[in-house]
Amino acid sequence: MIRPLRCIFVFALTAMGVVQPNLAYAGGQRADEPALRAGAHRIVFDGWGGPALPVWTFIPAGIDPKTAPIVIVMHGARRDADRYRDQWVEPARSGGFIVVAPEFSKAAFPKANGYNLGGVFDAASGSLRKEDVWTFSAIEPVFDHVVARLGGSQQRYTIYGHSAGSQFVHRFLFFKPDARVKRYLAANAGWYTFADSQVEYPFGLGGIGYEAKMLKQALAKNLVIALGERDSDPDGRLLNKGAGAMRQGRHRFARGKAFYAAAKAYAERQGWEFGWSLRVVEGVAHSNGKMAPELADLIR
């Protein structure tokens, strides 16, 4: 269990803000890196504070890559970003958008703490790590780098995640309030960080000094919680069955509905704007490949 510091977190967010791209990249692209063209590609990105990342991309033919929408796709616990990219190819062709799937390997980013919890706190000591090495801090520089290699003008992006990637996405929303995201798509997470300061992190936002104004901002964002109707196996593979997760529900479908309902009720009690929505995909269980085409209309 992570043992987070209680007051330093808010200071770190407010003092540092969003992590800026590595200055070695200047405009986001080095002179020895070719422009990205139509097709599937694997590039390596090292313009941030953490280890170099393979990034799997797909650019449909017949679109203008300088203006086309971009979706950043976050893989699951298997860390198979190439498979996730491939499962988004046909929706991208139909929808006319670009897919960018960064890969966070198990070796470089071990266990849940290293990836889907954002690497915010040291797993052993519970101390706050430097913000530039959080896995959350790679996303904005990756986006800038891809836009530069496209020669593009895109200013914002959609971020999608399935399973562990969905955990990454909804926590990214909480921890990176200034990210240039148009819409967050969180599909079939196994468990959640609830918008509740009375529940200790990582199952809630308690114990890390998360301020009310930050929560208000998070609840107003455009987050779609996407749930496969049949993702309801209480004995599902890799399903977190620890006490904290089980309090959220018996399976992924129940936990997702509880996460949404709790956040909505809290926003209503506070009289705050609530930008989240819930989409249930009928006939789908725990499958990125089947969720992708059902959510492609949300990428604009």
Side-chain angles (χ1 to χ4, degrees), residues 1-292:
M1 180 63 70
I2 296 173
R3 301 184 299 278
L5 300 182
R6 292 184 173 270
C7 298
I8 297 178
F9 174 66
V10 170
F11 173 79
L13 283 183
T14 56
M16 292 186 239
V18 66
V19 172
Q20 297 299 314
N22 190 310
L23 295 179
Y25 273 73
Q29 179 184 2
R30 294 191 299 235
D32 59 344
E33 293 172 325
L36 290 173
R37 303 300 185 204
H41 305 275
R42 178 188 183 276
I43 62 178
V44 176
F45 175 70
D46 62 2
W48 72 298
L53 301 173
V55 179
W56 304 81
T57 66
F58 176 72
I59 304 168
I63 67 167
D64 182 355
K66 296 181 179 181
T67 59
I70 293 174
V71 59
I72 295 180
V73 172
M74 305 306 301
H75 57 68
R78 294 180 182 177
R79 316 299 181 97
D80 47 355
D82 55 340
R83 182 174 69 91
Y84 269 63
R85 187 273 314 272
D86 292 348
Q87 290 175 337
W88 273 92
V89 164
E90 290 308 316
R93 284 195 177 115
S94 299
F97 55 81
I98 295 166
V99 180
V100 177
E103 180 180 310
F104 293 86
S105 71
K106 292 181 180 179
F109 306 93
K111 300 184 178 179
N113 183 67
Y115 171 48
N116 37 298
L117 286 172
V120 175
F121 297 102
D122 182 83
S125 67
S127 60
L128 186 72
R129 302 175 72 216
K130 290 184 178 180
E131 188 176 0
D132 66 349
V133 299
W134 298 357
T135 52
F136 297 141
S137 294
I139 303 305
E140 292 270 297
V142 165
F143 170 68
D144 283 332
H145 180 66
V146 170
V147 169
R149 292 189 61 174
L150 293 169
S153 60
Q154 295 91 335
Q155 298 295 314
R156 303 179 73 198
Y157 57 94
T158 299
I159 185 167
Y160 162 92
H162 181 265
S163 196
S166 178
Q167 293 185 43
F168 183 101
V169 166
H170 83 267
R171 294 183 182 115
F172 179 73
L173 179 152
F174 287 132
F175 281 76
K176 287 292 187 178
D178 297 324
R180 293 162 292 170
V181 178
K182 291 187 286 188
R183 178 174 284 146
Y184 302 78
L185 305 176
N188 294 337
W191 58 284
Y192 296 83
T193 295
F194 271 52
D196 188 342
S197 60
Q198 302 304 308
V199 177
E200 291 290 301
Y201 185 81
F203 298 100
L205 293 168
I208 58 174
Y210 203 86
E211 289 187 335
K213 64 181 179 181
M214 297 168 64
L215 182 54
K216 182 179 181 180
Q217 183 179 0
L219 292 175
K221 289 182 181 293
N222 189 341
L223 167 66
V224 179
I225 301 161
L227 305 175
E229 176 198 22
R230 296 186 180 178
D231 199 358
S232 55
D233 183 357
D235 297 311
R237 183 177 179 273
L238 300 180
L239 181 67
N240 186 339
K241 299 182 180 69
M246 292 303 292
R247 282 192 287 270
Q248 298 178 0
R250 294 181 63 243
H251 45 66
R252 293 183 180 94
F253 186 62
R255 293 173 188 179
K257 289 195 297 182
F259 176 64
Y260 172 77
K264 184 173 186 290
Y266 187 84
E268 289 175 349
R269 288 196 303 272
Q270 299 297 320
W272 292 349
E273 178 185 357
F274 187 62
W276 299 12
S277 59
L278 180 68
R279 178 179 286 200
V280 175
V281 181
E282 295 183 0
V284 173
H286 197 64
S287 169
N288 173 66
K290 292 182 178 179
M291 293 295 283

